[in-house]
Amino acid sequence: MVFAEPAGPLLAQWQNFYVIIGSSAGALTGLQFVVIALIADMEELPGMTEVRAFGTPTVVHFCVALLVSAILSAPWPAFYGAELALGICGAAGIAYAVRVIRHATRVTIYKIEAADWVWYAALPLVAYGVLLAAAILLAWHRSSSLFLIAATTLLLLFIGIHNAWDAVTYAVIAGRGQESKKDAKEK
């Protein structure tokens, strides 16, 4: 383990990647505000359990992608600071993913399908586990760990995009269903 190795030269090669990922994650966080606005117009609003299981995690995944981008874009004098920050992100992400799974098991308004368990529970748990492992391995295998961290950050971004799209389509379809029920009552 080499603690004094400067981080700058190796991390500089990743700057463009993390500018793209971080900018995308920041911008896509705003998409969730649109989703919440769409959901707010529904007559049958989801409860906090549903929001904690499906809405908030999407914002968290975008924010973690943004945070990892910031961590790996910072001018670290040595790698151990980045290793520690990424390890904390991975460990906190695992704890959060377990909490989201707990919330998902309590959902009552929506019947959770297998694909939901994959996108909202399994993939985030895997992503945060890989992030923690890559942060630990960064001390010994710099190049491969940086690729794992990049893949994990990209996976979190894709999870967020999928889940935001899923929420938007659910809100639109559920909203149309409510309009159909309303039209049927009026006739």
Side-chain angles (χ1 to χ4, degrees):
M1 187 180 326
V2 181
F3 288 107
E5 180 184 352
L10 188 55
L11 292 181
Q13 299 172 25
W14 288 95
Q15 289 298 309
N16 288 339
F17 176 82
Y18 285 110
V19 165
I20 292 168
I21 296 296
S23 299
S24 298
L28 289 168
T29 299
L31 177 60
Q32 280 304 101
F33 292 95
V34 174
V35 171
I36 294 300
L38 286 172
I39 291 172
D41 288 339
M42 295 172 59
E43 287 179 22
E44 187 179 325
L45 293 174
M48 280 309 296
T49 302
E50 285 77 15
V51 171
R52 287 183 183 131
F54 300 112
T56 305
T58 301
V59 173
V60 170
H61 303 324
F62 285 144
C63 289
V64 171
L66 177 60
L67 180 59
V68 169
S69 297
I71 289 168
L72 290 178
S73 296
W76 297 99
F79 271 100
Y80 59 85
E83 293 166 4
L84 179 61
L86 293 168
I88 291 169
C89 286
I94 291 169
Y96 182 72
V98 169
R99 187 171 174 202
V100 168
I101 292 167
R102 199 174 82 233
H103 287 299
T105 61
R106 297 178 182 157
V107 167
T108 57
I109 294 174
Y110 172 74
K111 184 182 180 304
I112 301 174
E113 300 171 359
D116 296 327
W117 286 112
V118 169
W119 284 98
Y120 289 93
L123 286 176
L125 191 57
V126 167
Y128 292 120
V130 170
L131 180 60
L132 176 59
I136 292 168
L137 293 173
L138 192 57
W140 298 278
H141 305 284
R142 300 244 191 263
S143 184
S144 57
S145 293
L146 288 172
F147 275 99
L148 279 175
I149 294 165
T152 299
T153 308
L154 191 58
L155 177 59
L156 287 170
L157 189 65
F158 287 153
I159 290 168
I161 291 168
H162 172 275
N163 294 353
W165 175 255
D166 193 46
V168 167
T169 55
Y170 174 77
V172 169
I173 291 169
R176 284 189 179 155
Q178 290 175 355
E179 287 175 15
S180 298
K181 288 178 188 176
K182 194 182 223 182
D183 291 343
K185 285 181 184 179
E186 292 174 359
K187 290 183 181 180

